[in-house]
Amino acid sequence: MPRTATPTAAQPAARGGPGRERRYDIDLLRVVCTAAVVLVHASAEFIDAGHRTTGVLGDSVSRFAVPAFFAMAGWAALAGSPVRGDAQLLTRLARILRPMAVWTALYLLWQYVSGPPPNGGAEEAVRALFGSVEAAFHLWYLYAYVPLLLLLGVAALVLQRHATPRRSLLLLAAFAVAPAVVGDARTLTGLPLPGWDWSVSLSSLGYAVAGAALLAARRRGPRPLWAAGVAVALVALTLYQFTVRHPAAYGSVAVAALTFTVLGAVGGVRVPERARAVLGRLSDASFGTYLVHLLFVMLLVRPVAERVPHGFAAPVALAVTAVAAAALSFAASILWGRLGMRRWLG
């Protein structure tokens, strides 16, 4: 499976600061992006099964999702709901890391039960601490999101001239020096320590800052023009993935064009009041959906992809199984949310 075609995401609630109304357009964008992440992984299963055209088309349609999640993270951290203190920032990090740890353990257990690796899973568990775990490869996004949230949160506190966020600054410094420390430890001890992958790229930071500016803008221009831009960018990205590189890097021009046109098209859209309650529940369940969906992709999409014949049946099967996997994932997340388990399961 093409691991670089993965992701996606935990996002703070689409609420502004005290006294601000909930941004239902952000809720809508989050739900769309979560469903798109499911399609990314379902498409990868079809590519692995030999249905390349179907898989690349599905991937192209949904490849904006991960950069858009970084954009929403930037909006929340810098404009929508900036942290007010050191403790609040660390609490936000804990809300991500706690379910991330639980699901990492569950996916490692699943890997061991379904087909134990030669090392028995011990090396996989160690790699999970350093930022890379094959059993839950889709969690790579959180290994980038956590340091991004930490960096933006500290920056917001500094700019707001709050009391020096000592604990957050120490944690940020630890993330900054960790790659060199791990490399030195590998050299001094001779131990095969994994590389340190808790890091954020400049392209992800660019999506966060530029996306925050676009989502916070009062005027974004005519929506039909943004929609037309989405269509053009989608065609360009599809051609790029068929002729130049698949999977396209998230920092590529084609992916960036699709991402920002989608943000412009959805940002500021008015959601009818009758749909807001349902949309809010789906948005609140999106993190849990992201965490669990890989199980449904493996259980539902993979067997179908391996058996469906080539031709018109393949894209139909992709669409049906991706929708089913997304629906089951949202349903599972909503269920454990009602049972009061969101603190641990996302």
Side-chain angles (χ1 to χ4, degrees):
M1 180 179 295
R3 301 310 181 209
T4 55
T6 64
T8 125
Q11 303 296 332
R15 302 179 186 274
R20 298 184 184 180
E21 294 184 357
R22 181 161 183 156
R23 287 280 301 269
Y24 287 99
D25 58 326
I26 303 293
D27 281 329
L28 176 61
L29 185 61
R30 183 175 302 127
V31 172
V32 169
C33 288
T34 303
V37 165
V38 180
L39 180 56
V40 167
H41 292 133
S43 299
E45 295 292 345
F46 273 75
I47 291 173
D48 286 349
H51 303 284
R52 184 175 185 273
T53 299
T54 295
V56 172
L57 287 173
D59 182 84
S60 298
V61 169
S62 52
R63 199 145 192 83
F64 68 90
V66 171
F69 272 123
F70 283 123
M72 285 184 281
W75 170 82
L78 300 175
S81 184
V83 292
R84 301 293 179 181
D86 198 22
Q88 186 184 17
L89 175 55
L90 294 176
T91 298
R92 285 191 180 182
L93 294 177
R95 287 205 302 262
I96 299 165
L97 291 170
R98 189 183 302 110
M100 179 184 179
V102 170
W103 279 101
T104 298
L106 291 175
Y107 279 107
L108 286 170
L109 178 62
W110 174 271
Q111 182 189 65
Y112 182 81
V113 171
S114 62
N119 58 32
E123 291 182 13
E124 272 280 86
V126 172
R127 283 197 295 271
L129 298 176
F130 286 76
S132 175
V133 53
E134 182 67 15
F137 63 87
H138 67 305
L139 298 185
W140 74 263
Y141 168 79
L142 296 181
Y143 290 110
Y145 179 77
V146 168
L148 174 66
L149 183 64
L150 178 61
L151 175 61
L152 294 178
V154 169
L157 291 175
V158 171
L159 292 174
Q160 294 166 11
R161 299 184 179 180
H162 286 282
T164 303
R166 292 183 178 85
R167 290 178 294 171
S168 297
L169 279 173
L170 286 174
L171 185 58
L172 182 61
F175 273 104
V177 302
V181 170
V182 172
D184 292 343
R186 188 186 302 114
T187 300
L188 293 172
T189 65
L191 295 174
L193 298 176
W196 183 265
D197 291 329
W198 291 83
S199 60
V200 57
S201 66
L202 184 58
S203 64
S204 299
L205 184 59
Y207 280 122
V209 176
L214 180 57
L215 292 173
R218 294 182 178 274
R219 297 182 180 179
R220 300 178 184 85
R223 201 173 305 281
L225 188 59
W226 285 109
V230 171
V232 172
L234 178 57
V235 171
L237 175 59
T238 303
L239 292 175
Y240 176 86
Q241 294 214 109
F242 273 119
T243 60
V244 180
R245 177 185 174 183
H246 176 267
Y250 287 119
S252 68
V253 173
V255 174
L258 180 60
T259 300
F260 285 112
T261 52
V262 168
L263 293 176
V266 178
V269 70
R270 185 183 182 280
V271 176
E273 290 189 14
R274 62 180 179 277
R276 291 180 179 179
V278 173
L279 183 61
R281 285 195 292 271
L282 291 174
S283 177
D284 292 340
S286 63
F287 185 29
T289 300
Y290 157 68
L291 292 168
V292 73
H293 81 274
L294 193 61
L295 284 177
F296 291 109
V297 168
M298 291 188 292
L299 292 172
L300 178 61
V301 179
R302 181 176 295 175
V304 173
E306 292 173 347
R307 291 171 175 79
V308 68
H310 291 274
F312 182 72
V316 173
L318 172 59
V320 172
T321 55
V323 168
L328 289 170
S329 300
F330 271 110
S333 181
I334 291 173
L335 176 61
W336 69 60
R338 290 182 176 179
L339 295 175
M341 301 172 65
R342 197 164 300 288
R343 173 183 174 87
W344 294 100
L345 296 180

